[in-house]
Amino acid sequence: MSMNGEYLRLTPAELKRALADAGWALELAEKAQDEQDEDDGGAGRWFSTGQTWNLLAFLLRRARFPVDLVFGEETLTEEDWGYGKPRYLTPERVRLAADALARTSYDRLVDGVDPAELTEAEVYPLIWDEPAALDWARDDFGSLVEYVRGAAADGDALVLWID
């Protein structure tokens, strides 16, 4: 079984409801995942970075990205949604992330990264035997940028978790 980075867009009113009823939010996430069209250009409610989540976390941390765009920043619930608690970003933090992503290219993120660093840091999954492995998350990063940009444009919050 693999570990995947998951995202759910919520309006501010939905975020308020999710904070009061995390079970409702989990049901919404599962429904959105079942209904998601992968070619929606980032406009969908649910999004996944698949197994690239840990590489993206490493690269964004290394670049001192101002928002935790992989794990979220505030706990939504103490319940486990897969591999830990879901966390969220407020609409304001989503806007900050979108603004910062507009100035962040994938090439900039991987510039100077030695695949041995990823192996040493035990970045999941451990596939860092060759430099070309760094391109593995390029498409997922581009899709994440579009997804966050769409959420920010609509004033949405994001719930994030590893499943």
Side-chain angles (χ1 to χ4, degrees), residues 67-81:
V67 177
D68 190 337
L69 199 49
V70 174
F71 298 106
E73 297 179 342
E74 300 183 50
T75 301
L76 181 76
T77 179
E78 294 299 319
E79 297 171 24
D80 188 324
W81 279 21

Side-chain angles (χ1 to χ4, degrees), residues 22-141:
W24 170 83
L26 180 57
E27 286 177 21
L28 183 65
E30 290 168 347
K31 181 179 177 188
Q33 184 176 5
D34 289 343
E35 296 173 352
Q36 185 70 31
D37 177 1
E38 292 188 28
D39 296 322
D40 64 10
R45 181 180 282 274
W46 172 83
F47 176 75
S48 178
T49 56
Q51 294 181 43
T52 64
W53 62 272
N54 202 218
L55 173 59
L56 293 173
F58 177 90
L59 295 173
L60 291 167
R61 231 182 353 262
R62 183 176 176 273
R64 301 186 197 289
F65 198 76
V67 177
D68 190 337
L69 199 49
V70 174
F71 298 106
E73 297 179 342
E74 300 183 50
T75 301
L76 181 76
T77 179
E78 294 299 319
E79 297 171 24
D80 188 324
W81 279 21
Y83 293 94
K85 303 170 192 170
R87 297 172 57 87
Y88 68 95
L89 299 172
T90 64
E92 295 78 23
R93 299 297 287 170
V94 172
R95 272 193 300 282
L96 177 61
D99 291 345
L101 285 170
R103 300 182 304 275
T104 306
S105 71
Y106 191 76
D107 287 333
R108 180 176 153 240
L109 289 176
V110 298
D111 185 43
V113 175
D114 182 342
E117 287 178 74
L118 302 172
T119 300
E120 184 177 318
E122 298 181 358
V123 173
Y124 172 87
L126 295 175
I127 60 165
W128 315 114
D129 297 338
E130 53 191 66
L134 289 172
D135 278 337
W136 178 54
R138 183 178 298 276
D139 290 341
D140 285 332
F141 178 74

Side-chain angles (χ1 to χ4, degrees), residues 2-21:
S2 63
M3 299 169 72
N4 298 290
E6 310 287 352
Y7 296 77
L8 179 69
R9 286 173 59 165
L10 298 177
T11 66
E14 290 170 333
L15 176 60
K16 185 175 180 179
R17 181 173 178 189
L19 288 166
D21 184 358

